[in-house]
Amino acid sequence: MQKQEPLLSVRELSVAFKMRDCVLTAVDGVSFDLDRSQRLGLVGESGAGKSVTGFAIINLVSRPGYISGGQVFFEGRDLATFSEEEMRNIRGNRISMIFQDPMMTLNPVLTIGQQMIETLKAHRHISKHEAEKLALSKLQKVAIPSPEKRLTQYPHEFSGGMRQRIVIAIALLTSPSLIIADEPTTALDVTIQADIMELLLKLCEEEEMALLLITHDLAVVSQVAERIAVMYAGRIAELGSTEAIVNTPQHPYTQGLLKALPQKVERRKRLNQIPGNMPSLQERPPGCAFYDRCELRGEICHREIPRLEEKNGGLVACHMVKDAAGKEEK
Amino acid sequence: MSDFIEIKNLVKRFDISGGLLEEIRFKGGIHRKKTVVHALNGVSFGIKKGETVSVVGESGCGKSTLARCVIRIYRPESGEVLYNGTRVDNLSSSAIKPWRAKMQMVFQDPYASLNPRMTVYQTLLEPIRFHFPNVSRSEADDRVATVMKQVGVDPDWRKRYPHEFSGGQRQRISLARALAVKPEFIIADEPIAALDVSIQAQILNLFMDLQEEQGLTYLFISHDLSVVEHISNRVVVMYLGSLCEFAGTEQLYTDPKHPYTRALLSAIPRFGSEGFNHLRLPGDVPTPINLPTGCVFHGRCPHADERCRREVPALITAADGRVVACHGVEEGRLEWL
Ligand SMILES: Nc1ncnc2c1ncn2[C@@H]1O[C@H](COP(=O)(O)OP(=O)(O)O)[C@@H](O)[C@H]1O
Ligand SMILES: Nc1ncnc2c1ncn2[C@@H]1O[C@H](COP(=O)(O)OP(=O)(O)O)[C@@H](O)[C@H]1O
Ligand code: SF4
Ligand code: SF4
Ligand SMILES: [Mg+2]
Ligand SMILES: [Mg+2]
């Protein structure tokens, strides 16, 4: 049976920043696929390259950064071949972004209704009346109480959680097939975070949208995503089903992260810790970026960057992880 | 064992009225209208020697204000703070000085709390000089080296500046600065919030190690409920400037009584748990400027009744030792299974 082509296919994507005296590679050969209606979590610590990856997918890397290699296919087409006009259309219509700070999306001097209608008119031939109706229905979808009244209010009249709901409503306006959400609940309190994440999950299912959820929070991602990609120092260390990452993580970094969770040891006892820090862009070693912190490292690890390869049903970039099925496996 | 730190009925308000002139213009008259933030509305609890008590609650509920009142950065409107039996909340700035050495604070952002123009050595020397002006240069140097070792920063790096360190190392240096004056009690306000997960574990271990070695007492503030569950002996839950519940960690996490505690704990994202089934609270947290009457949680509480809307619930001590401020719990009408 022929597998349907993925909605989003990221192939060996690299992003570099041109600094005064050097070029720093922030994202280094990242590859993953995302099928229609599927939810993929991209986790990693700050500086791992998650946000830059997100921006690169929609071709919005800002200077001094630039895409230095690889390709992004969306609905089968290489985004590099798109004109700026086409790209704008993709960003408004087919892919929506949600950021940690709702004010990245919202305009403080326009009412919610004005910005929703503006968004719609920019991407659709639609009457004002129709646009209003659609805006109202999306506000209802994100459970904003008394939406008619809310349409006439300004962003500052909403709480942080409500603003993020409005951003989600705006993201829904054009019925995109992909939402890229970059730390959408990181600034919110836990009770509001749970509400927003639950909402996002529900909407993705109902509207058959795919989700790329970028976050540093392993717990949140495990609640929402079907697959998880663990990013470390600009590369994907491991990618697998959420179930596999939770129960049988393969990469030493993933294993270390999970072991360090407080619930893994008795209360008031020392936590398992990973020694050291993630290397900064300037100090990445020649081979595996996790080398300095890894208990399993061998001689080859220092020399050669491990490639992301299929092992034991998941993808992992580690020289020391053996594939139980061996090379024969199809 | 009696309490080492006693916090009694702390009330703290902030007057945020604009300038006088602006208000006269605004009101078109001479009446000055006050806008007051009710940041703490009578918070009481105690901390035993060598214990970790954590304070949790959503942003704006008064955690940092509480910490600052306890360490006398703020003067509370009313209430008392006792340190080993002595009142310290009403001391003058000079009289508080000896207590300041015993009580030290560590902040969330090690970037903002370390002076970028001071080396690690200068940063650590300053509090030693301030609190112990009579120590010799070589004693002070020894102390600097000792605390650097205690927090796991190589004393050879004493000439370096904060920007030369990672976030985790900077937080170690902040902790070293607190330890330099041999405190007994450390207030840590979100000390790991700015750090990555793999670094959080390192810093939490350091906190726990130091407590064990030096018998330190901690007031720990964090919005990370899983971390709090791990490191605390007892936990205070706050909402809108009021204490909801104060209980042993296990008691609280396995059997929360206050309706807000129940909602809050149910929302903790748990690694490996698929989907959501938290208790949903209607509406938003009200502003602390117009405090609700009665129980501050009544507008969002599924169990609110007439009395809740009218009467502020008192802190009652239940049979199992926990403290809870809820009419429903007191009346026995909230019997959780
Ligand atoms: N405008 C920029 N100039 C230089 N370096 C940048 C810029 N933006 C991001 N970087 C670097 O790229 C790396 C990845 O950043 P980012 O994708 O934001 O990380 P994450 O989202 O995982 O926290 C970081 O080391 C960061 O310092
Ligand atoms: N210096 C201040 N001036 C005015 N209002 C303040 C001040 N500090 C805190 N507040 C207000 O007091 C309330 C409690 O704040 P805070 O103690 O910082 O909460 P938390 O640390 O739990 O987030 C908030 O409404 C906050 O806006
Ligand atoms: S490649 Fe080597 S250093 Fe890298 S994670 Fe695997 S074992 Fe460790
Ligand atoms: S006092 Fe009433 S409103 Fe407040 S938490 Fe208890 S039941 Fe709910
Ligand atoms: Mg980011
Ligand atoms: Mg605070």
Side-chain angles (χ1 to χ4, degrees), chain A residues 46 189 191 195 198 222-223 266-271 273-274 293, chain B residues 58-59 196 198 202 205 209 229-232 272-273 275 278 280 284:
Chain A
S46 61
D189 285 310
T191 56
D195 290 343
E198 182 182 37
S222 77
Q223 284 180 297
E266 212 182 306
R267 271 203 331 107
R268 305 260 307 147
K269 292 280 181 280
R270 294 189 103 246
L271 299 164
Q273 61 182 51
I274 305 175
R293 310 175 77 184
Chain B
E58 302 186 41
S59 57
D196 279 308
S198 79
Q202 297 173 6
N205 282 343
D209 292 346
E229 177 176 17
H230 185 74
I231 64 158
S232 319
S273 71
H278 59 289
R280 291 151 197 87
D284 286 319

PDB file of all heavy atoms in Angstrom, chain A residues 46 189 191 195 198 222-223 266-271 273-274 293, chain B residues 58-59 196 198 202 205 209 229-232 272-273 275 278 280 284:
ATOM      1  N   SER A  46      16.089  25.306  26.404  1.00  0.00           N
ATOM      2  CA  SER A  46      16.143  26.561  25.672  1.00  0.00           C
ATOM      3  C   SER A  46      17.474  26.667  24.946  1.00  0.00           C
ATOM      4  O   SER A  46      18.519  26.277  25.464  1.00  0.00           O
ATOM      5  CB  SER A  46      15.900  27.754  26.585  1.00  0.00           C
ATOM      6  OG  SER A  46      16.879  27.809  27.566  1.00  0.00           O
ATOM      7  N   ASP A 189      -0.612  30.210  34.019  1.00  0.00           N
ATOM      8  CA  ASP A 189      -0.669  29.377  35.209  1.00  0.00           C
ATOM      9  C   ASP A 189      -1.194  27.986  34.887  1.00  0.00           C
ATOM     10  O   ASP A 189      -1.894  27.803  33.892  1.00  0.00           O
ATOM     11  CB  ASP A 189      -1.576  30.048  36.243  1.00  0.00           C
ATOM     12  CG  ASP A 189      -0.881  31.218  36.893  1.00  0.00           C
ATOM     13  OD1 ASP A 189       0.251  31.038  37.351  1.00  0.00           O
ATOM     14  OD2 ASP A 189      -1.460  32.311  36.932  1.00  0.00           O
ATOM     15  N   THR A 191      -3.579  25.992  35.898  1.00  0.00           N
ATOM     16  CA  THR A 191      -4.994  25.689  35.643  1.00  0.00           C
ATOM     17  C   THR A 191      -5.398  26.206  34.266  1.00  0.00           C
ATOM     18  O   THR A 191      -6.144  25.548  33.537  1.00  0.00           O
ATOM     19  CB  THR A 191      -5.922  26.314  36.710  1.00  0.00           C
ATOM     20  OG1 THR A 191      -5.692  27.720  36.763  1.00  0.00           O
ATOM     21  CG2 THR A 191      -5.678  25.723  38.076  1.00  0.00           C
ATOM     22  N   ASP A 195      -6.501  24.168  30.672  1.00  0.00           N
ATOM     23  CA  ASP A 195      -7.676  24.525  29.866  1.00  0.00           C
ATOM     24  C   ASP A 195      -7.294  24.780  28.414  1.00  0.00           C
ATOM     25  O   ASP A 195      -7.949  24.298  27.492  1.00  0.00           O
ATOM     26  CB  ASP A 195      -8.333  25.804  30.413  1.00  0.00           C
ATOM     27  CG  ASP A 195      -9.012  25.592  31.766  1.00  0.00           C
ATOM     28  OD1 ASP A 195      -9.267  24.424  32.126  1.00  0.00           O
ATOM     29  OD2 ASP A 195      -9.281  26.595  32.454  1.00  0.00           O
ATOM     30  N   GLU A 198      -6.078  21.594  26.589  1.00  0.00           N
ATOM     31  CA  GLU A 198      -7.215  20.715  26.320  1.00  0.00           C
ATOM     32  C   GLU A 198      -8.006  21.242  25.127  1.00  0.00           C
ATOM     33  O   GLU A 198      -8.415  20.481  24.243  1.00  0.00           O
ATOM     34  CB  GLU A 198      -8.104  20.638  27.570  1.00  0.00           C
ATOM     35  CG  GLU A 198      -9.283  19.707  27.394  1.00  0.00           C
ATOM     36  CD  GLU A 198     -10.170  19.670  28.618  1.00  0.00           C
ATOM     37  OE1 GLU A 198     -10.354  20.721  29.260  1.00  0.00           O
ATOM     38  OE2 GLU A 198     -10.685  18.577  28.934  1.00  0.00           O
ATOM     39  N   SER A 222       3.629  15.302  26.455  1.00  0.00           N
ATOM     40  CA  SER A 222       3.182  13.909  26.539  1.00  0.00           C
ATOM     41  C   SER A 222       1.662  13.814  26.659  1.00  0.00           C
ATOM     42  O   SER A 222       1.076  12.788  26.342  1.00  0.00           O
ATOM     43  CB  SER A 222       3.856  13.191  27.720  1.00  0.00           C
ATOM     44  OG  SER A 222       3.260  13.568  28.947  1.00  0.00           O
ATOM     45  N   GLN A 223       1.033  14.906  27.095  1.00  0.00           N
ATOM     46  CA  GLN A 223      -0.423  14.879  27.202  1.00  0.00           C
ATOM     47  C   GLN A 223      -1.116  15.152  25.867  1.00  0.00           C
ATOM     48  O   GLN A 223      -2.271  14.799  25.701  1.00  0.00           O
ATOM     49  CB  GLN A 223      -0.896  15.932  28.224  1.00  0.00           C
ATOM     50  CG  GLN A 223      -0.681  15.514  29.665  1.00  0.00           C
ATOM     51  CD  GLN A 223      -1.160  16.585  30.629  1.00  0.00           C
ATOM     52  OE1 GLN A 223      -0.652  17.695  30.651  1.00  0.00           O
ATOM     53  NE2 GLN A 223      -2.158  16.256  31.424  1.00  0.00           N
ATOM     54  N   GLU A 266      12.094   8.825  45.390  1.00  0.00           N
ATOM     55  CA  GLU A 266      11.329   9.026  46.602  1.00  0.00           C
ATOM     56  C   GLU A 266      11.353  10.498  47.005  1.00  0.00           C
ATOM     57  O   GLU A 266      12.337  11.197  46.766  1.00  0.00           O
ATOM     58  CB  GLU A 266      12.021   8.207  47.703  1.00  0.00           C
ATOM     59  CG  GLU A 266      11.137   7.643  48.753  1.00  0.00           C
ATOM     60  CD  GLU A 266      12.004   6.904  49.775  1.00  0.00           C
ATOM     61  OE1 GLU A 266      12.792   6.025  49.356  1.00  0.00           O
ATOM     62  OE2 GLU A 266      11.915   7.238  50.961  1.00  0.00           O
ATOM     63  N   ARG A 267      10.289  10.938  47.620  1.00  0.00           N
ATOM     64  CA  ARG A 267      10.206  12.344  48.041  1.00  0.00           C
ATOM     65  C   ARG A 267      11.388  12.741  48.916  1.00  0.00           C
ATOM     66  O   ARG A 267      11.874  11.957  49.702  1.00  0.00           O
ATOM     67  CB  ARG A 267       8.910  12.581  48.825  1.00  0.00           C
ATOM     68  CG  ARG A 267       7.766  12.958  47.920  1.00  0.00           C
ATOM     69  CD  ARG A 267       6.650  13.726  48.596  1.00  0.00           C
ATOM     70  NE  ARG A 267       6.459  13.458  50.001  1.00  0.00           N
ATOM     71  CZ  ARG A 267       6.802  14.318  50.967  1.00  0.00           C
ATOM     72  NH1 ARG A 267       7.367  15.466  50.667  1.00  0.00           N
ATOM     73  NH2 ARG A 267       6.568  14.010  52.212  1.00  0.00           N
ATOM     74  N   ARG A 268      11.861  13.973  48.758  1.00  0.00           N
ATOM     75  CA  ARG A 268      12.927  14.569  49.557  1.00  0.00           C
ATOM     76  C   ARG A 268      14.287  13.898  49.330  1.00  0.00           C
ATOM     77  O   ARG A 268      15.236  14.186  50.041  1.00  0.00           O
ATOM     78  CB  ARG A 268      12.587  14.561  51.061  1.00  0.00           C
ATOM     79  CG  ARG A 268      11.267  15.213  51.409  1.00  0.00           C
ATOM     80  CD  ARG A 268      11.409  16.631  51.922  1.00  0.00           C
ATOM     81  NE  ARG A 268      12.324  16.788  53.019  1.00  0.00           N
ATOM     82  CZ  ARG A 268      13.070  17.867  53.222  1.00  0.00           C
ATOM     83  NH1 ARG A 268      13.026  18.877  52.372  1.00  0.00           N
ATOM     84  NH2 ARG A 268      13.867  17.951  54.250  1.00  0.00           N
ATOM     85  N   LYS A 269      14.359  13.005  48.350  1.00  0.00           N
ATOM     86  CA  LYS A 269      15.658  12.397  48.032  1.00  0.00           C
ATOM     87  C   LYS A 269      16.268  13.125  46.838  1.00  0.00           C
ATOM     88  O   LYS A 269      15.563  13.738  46.062  1.00  0.00           O
ATOM     89  CB  LYS A 269      15.474  10.909  47.700  1.00  0.00           C
ATOM     90  CG  LYS A 269      15.047  10.074  48.909  1.00  0.00           C
ATOM     91  CD  LYS A 269      16.230   9.736  49.795  1.00  0.00           C
ATOM     92  CE  LYS A 269      15.854   8.878  50.995  1.00  0.00           C
ATOM     93  NZ  LYS A 269      15.255   9.633  52.107  1.00  0.00           N
ATOM     94  N   ARG A 270      17.606  13.009  46.719  1.00  0.00           N
ATOM     95  CA  ARG A 270      18.285  13.654  45.597  1.00  0.00           C
ATOM     96  C   ARG A 270      17.698  13.181  44.269  1.00  0.00           C
ATOM     97  O   ARG A 270      17.404  12.007  44.099  1.00  0.00           O
ATOM     98  CB  ARG A 270      19.782  13.317  45.599  1.00  0.00           C
ATOM     99  CG  ARG A 270      20.544  13.862  46.752  1.00  0.00           C
ATOM    100  CD  ARG A 270      22.039  13.658  46.542  1.00  0.00           C
ATOM    101  NE  ARG A 270      22.661  14.903  46.144  1.00  0.00           N
ATOM    102  CZ  ARG A 270      23.213  15.141  44.975  1.00  0.00           C
ATOM    103  NH1 ARG A 270      23.269  14.202  44.066  1.00  0.00           N
ATOM    104  NH2 ARG A 270      23.752  16.305  44.707  1.00  0.00           N
ATOM    105  N   LEU A 271      17.582  14.117  43.346  1.00  0.00           N
ATOM    106  CA  LEU A 271      17.101  13.781  42.012  1.00  0.00           C
ATOM    107  C   LEU A 271      18.250  13.232  41.186  1.00  0.00           C
ATOM    108  O   LEU A 271      19.413  13.548  41.431  1.00  0.00           O
ATOM    109  CB  LEU A 271      16.559  15.039  41.336  1.00  0.00           C
ATOM    110  CG  LEU A 271      15.377  15.712  42.027  1.00  0.00           C
ATOM    111  CD1 LEU A 271      15.182  17.128  41.507  1.00  0.00           C
ATOM    112  CD2 LEU A 271      14.112  14.904  41.810  1.00  0.00           C
ATOM    113  N   GLN A 273      20.450  13.546  38.194  1.00  0.00           N
ATOM    114  CA  GLN A 273      20.732  14.720  37.386  1.00  0.00           C
ATOM    115  C   GLN A 273      21.654  14.383  36.225  1.00  0.00           C
ATOM    116  O   GLN A 273      22.439  13.447  36.298  1.00  0.00           O
ATOM    117  CB  GLN A 273      21.321  15.843  38.244  1.00  0.00           C
ATOM    118  CG  GLN A 273      22.632  15.461  38.914  1.00  0.00           C
ATOM    119  CD  GLN A 273      23.158  16.582  39.808  1.00  0.00           C
ATOM    120  OE1 GLN A 273      22.438  17.113  40.650  1.00  0.00           O
ATOM    121  NE2 GLN A 273      24.410  16.948  39.600  1.00  0.00           N
ATOM    122  N   ILE A 274      21.525  15.168  35.176  1.00  0.00           N
ATOM    123  CA  ILE A 274      22.483  15.072  34.076  1.00  0.00           C
ATOM    124  C   ILE A 274      23.557  16.107  34.390  1.00  0.00           C
ATOM    125  O   ILE A 274      23.228  17.261  34.620  1.00  0.00           O
ATOM    126  CB  ILE A 274      21.827  15.421  32.721  1.00  0.00           C
ATOM    127  CG1 ILE A 274      20.590  14.557  32.475  1.00  0.00           C
ATOM    128  CG2 ILE A 274      22.830  15.263  31.587  1.00  0.00           C
ATOM    129  CD1 ILE A 274      19.841  14.938  31.201  1.00  0.00           C
ATOM    130  N   ARG A 293      28.341  15.035  28.397  1.00  0.00           N
ATOM    131  CA  ARG A 293      27.428  14.718  29.496  1.00  0.00           C
ATOM    132  C   ARG A 293      27.023  13.253  29.495  1.00  0.00           C
ATOM    133  O   ARG A 293      26.234  12.826  30.334  1.00  0.00           O
ATOM    134  CB  ARG A 293      26.174  15.587  29.370  1.00  0.00           C
ATOM    135  CG  ARG A 293      26.479  17.063  29.176  1.00  0.00           C
ATOM    136  CD  ARG A 293      25.219  17.874  28.923  1.00  0.00           C
ATOM    137  NE  ARG A 293      24.467  18.105  30.150  1.00  0.00           N
ATOM    138  CZ  ARG A 293      23.291  18.730  30.183  1.00  0.00           C
ATOM    139  NH1 ARG A 293      22.728  19.148  29.071  1.00  0.00           N
ATOM    140  NH2 ARG A 293      22.672  18.916  31.340  1.00  0.00           N
TER     141      ARG A 293
ATOM    142  N   GLU B  58      -1.210  30.648  41.945  1.00  0.00           N
ATOM    143  CA  GLU B  58      -0.987  31.203  40.619  1.00  0.00           C
ATOM    144  C   GLU B  58      -0.365  32.588  40.693  1.00  0.00           C
ATOM    145  O   GLU B  58      -0.352  33.212  41.745  1.00  0.00           O
ATOM    146  CB  GLU B  58      -2.316  31.194  39.867  1.00  0.00           C
ATOM    147  CG  GLU B  58      -2.829  29.771  39.818  1.00  0.00           C
ATOM    148  CD  GLU B  58      -4.064  29.572  38.996  1.00  0.00           C
ATOM    149  OE1 GLU B  58      -4.156  30.160  37.917  1.00  0.00           O
ATOM    150  OE2 GLU B  58      -4.927  28.808  39.425  1.00  0.00           O
ATOM    151  N   SER B  59       0.150  33.050  39.579  1.00  0.00           N
ATOM    152  CA  SER B  59       0.881  34.310  39.618  1.00  0.00           C
ATOM    153  C   SER B  59      -0.049  35.424  40.073  1.00  0.00           C
ATOM    154  O   SER B  59      -1.224  35.450  39.732  1.00  0.00           O
ATOM    155  CB  SER B  59       1.498  34.626  38.263  1.00  0.00           C
ATOM    156  OG  SER B  59       0.508  34.656  37.291  1.00  0.00           O
ATOM    157  N   ASP B 196      16.630  25.411  32.786  1.00  0.00           N
ATOM    158  CA  ASP B 196      16.157  24.264  32.021  1.00  0.00           C
ATOM    159  C   ASP B 196      16.047  23.030  32.893  1.00  0.00           C
ATOM    160  O   ASP B 196      16.743  22.903  33.889  1.00  0.00           O
ATOM    161  CB  ASP B 196      17.124  23.997  30.872  1.00  0.00           C
ATOM    162  CG  ASP B 196      16.841  24.926  29.722  1.00  0.00           C
ATOM    163  OD1 ASP B 196      15.675  24.971  29.303  1.00  0.00           O
ATOM    164  OD2 ASP B 196      17.775  25.609  29.274  1.00  0.00           O
ATOM    165  N   SER B 198      17.144  20.019  32.829  1.00  0.00           N
ATOM    166  CA  SER B 198      18.309  19.231  33.227  1.00  0.00           C
ATOM    167  C   SER B 198      19.131  19.996  34.262  1.00  0.00           C
ATOM    168  O   SER B 198      19.844  19.399  35.067  1.00  0.00           O
ATOM    169  CB  SER B 198      19.154  18.832  32.005  1.00  0.00           C
ATOM    170  OG  SER B 198      19.972  19.886  31.571  1.00  0.00           O
ATOM    171  N   GLN B 202      19.885  19.742  39.080  1.00  0.00           N
ATOM    172  CA  GLN B 202      21.174  20.042  39.731  1.00  0.00           C
ATOM    173  C   GLN B 202      20.984  21.042  40.867  1.00  0.00           C
ATOM    174  O   GLN B 202      21.534  20.869  41.959  1.00  0.00           O
ATOM    175  CB  GLN B 202      22.161  20.625  38.715  1.00  0.00           C
ATOM    176  CG  GLN B 202      22.537  19.674  37.585  1.00  0.00           C
ATOM    177  CD  GLN B 202      23.395  20.370  36.520  1.00  0.00           C
ATOM    178  OE1 GLN B 202      23.791  21.521  36.675  1.00  0.00           O
ATOM    179  NE2 GLN B 202      23.688  19.670  35.439  1.00  0.00           N
ATOM    180  N   ASN B 205      19.028  19.597  43.826  1.00  0.00           N
ATOM    181  CA  ASN B 205      19.896  18.728  44.622  1.00  0.00           C
ATOM    182  C   ASN B 205      20.799  19.559  45.522  1.00  0.00           C
ATOM    183  O   ASN B 205      21.032  19.207  46.685  1.00  0.00           O
ATOM    184  CB  ASN B 205      20.734  17.834  43.716  1.00  0.00           C
ATOM    185  CG  ASN B 205      19.935  16.662  43.185  1.00  0.00           C
ATOM    186  OD1 ASN B 205      18.868  16.340  43.719  1.00  0.00           O
ATOM    187  ND2 ASN B 205      20.428  16.031  42.136  1.00  0.00           N
ATOM    188  N   ASP B 209      21.042  19.186  49.417  1.00  0.00           N
ATOM    189  CA  ASP B 209      22.325  18.838  50.046  1.00  0.00           C
ATOM    190  C   ASP B 209      22.689  19.854  51.129  1.00  0.00           C
ATOM    191  O   ASP B 209      23.098  19.485  52.232  1.00  0.00           O
ATOM    192  CB  ASP B 209      23.459  18.815  49.011  1.00  0.00           C
ATOM    193  CG  ASP B 209      23.307  17.671  48.013  1.00  0.00           C
ATOM    194  OD1 ASP B 209      22.498  16.761  48.289  1.00  0.00           O
ATOM    195  OD2 ASP B 209      23.988  17.701  46.975  1.00  0.00           O
ATOM    196  N   GLU B 229       6.147  19.208  45.319  1.00  0.00           N
ATOM    197  CA  GLU B 229       5.777  17.922  45.912  1.00  0.00           C
ATOM    198  C   GLU B 229       7.023  17.142  46.328  1.00  0.00           C
ATOM    199  O   GLU B 229       7.054  16.467  47.341  1.00  0.00           O
ATOM    200  CB  GLU B 229       4.961  17.101  44.903  1.00  0.00           C
ATOM    201  CG  GLU B 229       4.601  15.712  45.411  1.00  0.00           C
ATOM    202  CD  GLU B 229       3.717  14.945  44.446  1.00  0.00           C
ATOM    203  OE1 GLU B 229       3.636  15.334  43.260  1.00  0.00           O
ATOM    204  OE2 GLU B 229       3.103  13.964  44.891  1.00  0.00           O
ATOM    205  N   HIS B 230       8.063  17.290  45.531  1.00  0.00           N
ATOM    206  CA  HIS B 230       9.257  16.509  45.814  1.00  0.00           C
ATOM    207  C   HIS B 230      10.061  17.033  47.001  1.00  0.00           C
ATOM    208  O   HIS B 230      10.539  16.265  47.834  1.00  0.00           O
ATOM    209  CB  HIS B 230      10.166  16.442  44.583  1.00  0.00           C
ATOM    210  CG  HIS B 230      11.345  15.559  44.798  1.00  0.00           C
ATOM    211  ND1 HIS B 230      11.230  14.189  44.816  1.00  0.00           N
ATOM    212  CD2 HIS B 230      12.632  15.842  45.070  1.00  0.00           C
ATOM    213  CE1 HIS B 230      12.411  13.664  45.072  1.00  0.00           C
ATOM    214  NE2 HIS B 230      13.279  14.648  45.230  1.00  0.00           N
ATOM    215  N   ILE B 231      10.242  18.345  47.075  1.00  0.00           N
ATOM    216  CA  ILE B 231      11.216  18.861  48.036  1.00  0.00           C
ATOM    217  C   ILE B 231      10.634  19.315  49.376  1.00  0.00           C
ATOM    218  O   ILE B 231      11.391  19.555  50.309  1.00  0.00           O
ATOM    219  CB  ILE B 231      12.002  20.053  47.445  1.00  0.00           C
ATOM    220  CG1 ILE B 231      11.064  21.217  47.170  1.00  0.00           C
ATOM    221  CG2 ILE B 231      12.751  19.674  46.187  1.00  0.00           C
ATOM    222  CD1 ILE B 231      11.817  22.515  47.125  1.00  0.00           C
ATOM    223  N   SER B 232       9.311  19.437  49.484  1.00  0.00           N
ATOM    224  CA  SER B 232       8.748  20.107  50.665  1.00  0.00           C
ATOM    225  C   SER B 232       8.326  19.147  51.763  1.00  0.00           C
ATOM    226  O   SER B 232       7.884  18.035  51.492  1.00  0.00           O
ATOM    227  CB  SER B 232       7.515  20.921  50.267  1.00  0.00           C
ATOM    228  OG  SER B 232       7.740  21.578  49.054  1.00  0.00           O
ATOM    229  N   GLY B 272       3.470  11.471  30.794  1.00  0.00           N
ATOM    230  CA  GLY B 272       2.984  10.145  30.441  1.00  0.00           C
ATOM    231  C   GLY B 272       1.497   9.943  30.649  1.00  0.00           C
ATOM    232  O   GLY B 272       0.980   8.871  30.398  1.00  0.00           O
ATOM    233  N   SER B 273       0.785  10.997  31.094  1.00  0.00           N
ATOM    234  CA  SER B 273      -0.659  10.836  31.218  1.00  0.00           C
ATOM    235  C   SER B 273      -1.284  11.473  29.994  1.00  0.00           C
ATOM    236  O   SER B 273      -1.050  12.627  29.687  1.00  0.00           O
ATOM    237  CB  SER B 273      -1.179  11.512  32.488  1.00  0.00           C
ATOM    238  OG  SER B 273      -1.116  12.910  32.348  1.00  0.00           O
ATOM    239  N   GLY B 275      -3.989  13.121  27.570  1.00  0.00           N
ATOM    240  CA  GLY B 275      -5.201  13.926  27.645  1.00  0.00           C
ATOM    241  C   GLY B 275      -5.371  14.657  28.968  1.00  0.00           C
ATOM    242  O   GLY B 275      -4.432  14.797  29.744  1.00  0.00           O
ATOM    243  N   HIS B 278      -8.742  17.498  34.291  1.00  0.00           N
ATOM    244  CA  HIS B 278      -8.621  18.367  35.454  1.00  0.00           C
ATOM    245  C   HIS B 278      -9.974  18.989  35.786  1.00  0.00           C
ATOM    246  O   HIS B 278     -10.889  18.990  34.975  1.00  0.00           O
ATOM    247  CB  HIS B 278      -7.592  19.461  35.171  1.00  0.00           C
ATOM    248  CG  HIS B 278      -7.920  20.317  33.982  1.00  0.00           C
ATOM    249  ND1 HIS B 278      -7.853  19.863  32.688  1.00  0.00           N
ATOM    250  CD2 HIS B 278      -8.335  21.596  33.903  1.00  0.00           C
ATOM    251  CE1 HIS B 278      -8.195  20.834  31.857  1.00  0.00           C
ATOM    252  NE2 HIS B 278      -8.498  21.899  32.574  1.00  0.00           N
ATOM    253  N   ARG B 280     -12.223  21.931  36.054  1.00  0.00           N
ATOM    254  CA  ARG B 280     -12.212  23.224  35.370  1.00  0.00           C
ATOM    255  C   ARG B 280     -12.859  24.282  36.241  1.00  0.00           C
ATOM    256  O   ARG B 280     -13.931  24.066  36.787  1.00  0.00           O
ATOM    257  CB  ARG B 280     -12.936  23.111  34.040  1.00  0.00           C
ATOM    258  CG  ARG B 280     -12.162  22.264  33.053  1.00  0.00           C
ATOM    259  CD  ARG B 280     -13.077  21.561  32.075  1.00  0.00           C
ATOM    260  NE  ARG B 280     -12.356  20.475  31.417  1.00  0.00           N
ATOM    261  CZ  ARG B 280     -12.265  19.251  31.907  1.00  0.00           C
ATOM    262  NH1 ARG B 280     -12.852  18.933  33.065  1.00  0.00           N
ATOM    263  NH2 ARG B 280     -11.587  18.321  31.268  1.00  0.00           N
ATOM    264  N   ASP B 284     -12.156  33.929  35.531  1.00  0.00           N
ATOM    265  CA  ASP B 284     -10.760  34.275  35.782  1.00  0.00           C
ATOM    266  C   ASP B 284     -10.578  34.667  37.240  1.00  0.00           C
ATOM    267  O   ASP B 284     -11.543  34.941  37.942  1.00  0.00           O
ATOM    268  CB  ASP B 284     -10.352  35.482  34.923  1.00  0.00           C
ATOM    269  CG  ASP B 284     -10.181  35.091  33.463  1.00  0.00           C
ATOM    270  OD1 ASP B 284      -9.616  34.013  33.205  1.00  0.00           O
ATOM    271  OD2 ASP B 284     -10.617  35.861  32.600  1.00  0.00           O
TER     272      ASP B 284
END
